[in-house]
Amino acid sequence: LSKINMKKQAKDIKQGEKLNIFGKLGVVEKVEISDMGKQGKKKVRIEVNVEGNKSIMIRPEDYPLDILE
């Protein structure tokens, strides 16, 4: 795994960035931001390719994620 460079909020994640997903390298394929939900925050849907497997994460917009170099 690459070195953790910084943390970003889920709403600031961009396609092609590399994330630490349970200790594995994940590459962001697609990011969608929904309208405001019941808790007063937007939800972010992130499609990630982890070792050839597509995973989908849904997190609040201010959820911190580890960005890799």
Side-chain angles (χ1 to χ4, degrees):
L1 254 185
S2 299
K3 180 182 141 201
I4 294 177
N5 187 21
M6 59 189 270
K7 288 190 180 274
K8 272 192 177 179
Q9 291 185 341
K11 66 182 177 184
D12 298 326
I13 299 296
K14 305 284 187 238
Q15 183 176 352
E17 287 190 301
K18 296 172 185 168
L19 304 176
N20 178 14
I21 307 294
F22 301 114
K24 297 181 181 176
L25 174 67
V27 179
V28 177
E29 293 184 343
K30 187 175 178 183
V31 178
E32 295 177 5
I33 300 177
S34 70
D35 292 332
M36 202 158 300
K38 292 185 282 186
Q39 277 73 35
K41 293 184 181 177
K42 295 179 180 180
K43 298 287 186 204
V44 181
R45 182 180 186 272
I46 304 169
E47 289 183 21
V48 184
N49 184 336
V50 181
E51 297 179 350
N53 297 313
K54 181 175 157 184
S55 298
I56 296 174
M57 302 182 347
I58 299 175
R59 299 287 185 261
E61 64 181 338
D62 59 354
Y63 188 87
L65 294 165
D66 294 328
I67 305 298
L68 303 174
E69 290 182 335

